[in-house]
Amino acid sequence: MRLLLLAPPGAGKGTQGDRLAEHFGARHLSTGDLLRAEVTAGTPLGKAVQGALATGDLVPDDLMIELLLEPLTSAAQGGGYILDGFPRNLAQAHRAFEMARDLGVTVNAVLALDAPEDVLRERLLARGESSGRADDISDVIDHRLQVYAKETRPLLDYYEGRGVLRRIDATPEPDVVFQSILDSLADLPESIVPPDPDAD
């Protein structure tokens, strides 16, 4: 299974990415987690992206490709991948498609999770209070949502045009959202979607 999660901050793509990875036996590749790990480790890449992460801006395309090339390739050769956080604009989408096509690891479906802005903002503020993440404060949240609307939301039309988009309401509880995602994937070939071991 090869899935792309496309969602604004606070829509729950990290939670759903973990659950989908476990369900399908794939690897959850969260670019946010990968980038924060690079910053924590003090690598050259981490130092190069630290400023962008703190302000909620997009990380340059070349650095994102550098970050993802090895883990994406190894995950695709294993049980597949659930990619969360890339691409975030049309230029990255074109680069990502070219890279995945050349490697033979293009996505089976793109899951577009969405919820009203007030719900997203409330979730992010609550997460910031509990986790202390530097990008979950009010001013940065507003900027991140604006960046998503301007840079990332146009990808919905791009992936819809390619016939791989699945739109998911991310407002309900995580269990409900997860079931909606599985239902949206029911039309994929059986060779991609294995039988549910918990089904009757």
Side-chain angles (χ1 to χ4, degrees):
M1 176 62 77
R2 300 188 297 272
L3 299 174
L4 169 62
L5 291 176
L6 191 65
K13 60 183 181 295
T15 298
Q16 298 303 331
D18 287 341
R19 295 187 64 166
L20 287 164
E22 181 178 0
H23 182 83
F24 289 117
R27 182 177 174 187
H28 180 200
L29 295 175
S30 165
T31 57
D33 289 347
L34 293 172
L35 288 167
R36 283 187 287 274
E38 295 285 335
V39 171
T40 300
T43 66
L45 192 152
K47 292 176 181 176
V49 303
Q50 189 168 12
L53 290 183
T55 59
D57 290 321
L58 296 184
V59 171
D61 296 357
D62 288 346
L63 294 181
M64 291 301 301
I65 297 294
E66 178 184 343
L67 175 79
L68 283 170
L69 185 58
E70 188 282 325
L72 191 65
T73 304
S74 62
Q77 292 170 347
Y81 61 79
I82 315 296
L83 181 57
D84 153 13
F86 182 87
R88 292 197 173 183
N89 59 37
L90 284 170
Q92 289 183 355
H94 291 301
R95 290 281 299 276
F97 175 71
E98 291 171 358
M99 179 176 72
R101 181 194 58 201
D102 292 345
L103 295 171
V105 295
T106 53
V107 297
N108 303 123
V110 176
L111 302 169
L113 281 62
D114 207 359
E117 276 204 10
D118 59 333
V119 173
L120 300 173
R121 193 172 283 106
E122 181 180 339
R123 289 178 179 176
L124 292 167
L125 288 171
R127 186 175 71 183
E129 291 176 2
S130 63
S131 70
R133 267 182 53 172
D135 56 348
D136 283 339
I137 58 175
S138 184
D139 289 348
V140 178
I141 288 170
D142 288 343
H143 181 63
R144 291 169 66 200
L145 291 173
Q146 290 167 5
V147 169
Y148 176 83
K150 179 182 178 182
E151 299 283 349
T152 308
R153 196 173 292 279
L155 292 180
L156 298 179
D157 290 338
Y158 170 74
Y159 286 115
E160 194 156 45
R162 284 183 49 197
V164 293
L165 189 71
R166 310 287 198 277
R167 294 177 184 265
I168 308 295
D169 179 8
T171 309
E173 293 298 312
D175 287 349
V176 177
V177 176
F178 183 65
Q179 187 58 53
S180 296
I181 291 173
L182 295 184
D183 292 345
S184 78
L185 298 173
D187 64 328
L188 292 179
E190 291 183 6
S191 60
I192 296 175
V193 183
D196 185 347
D198 298 324
D200 294 335

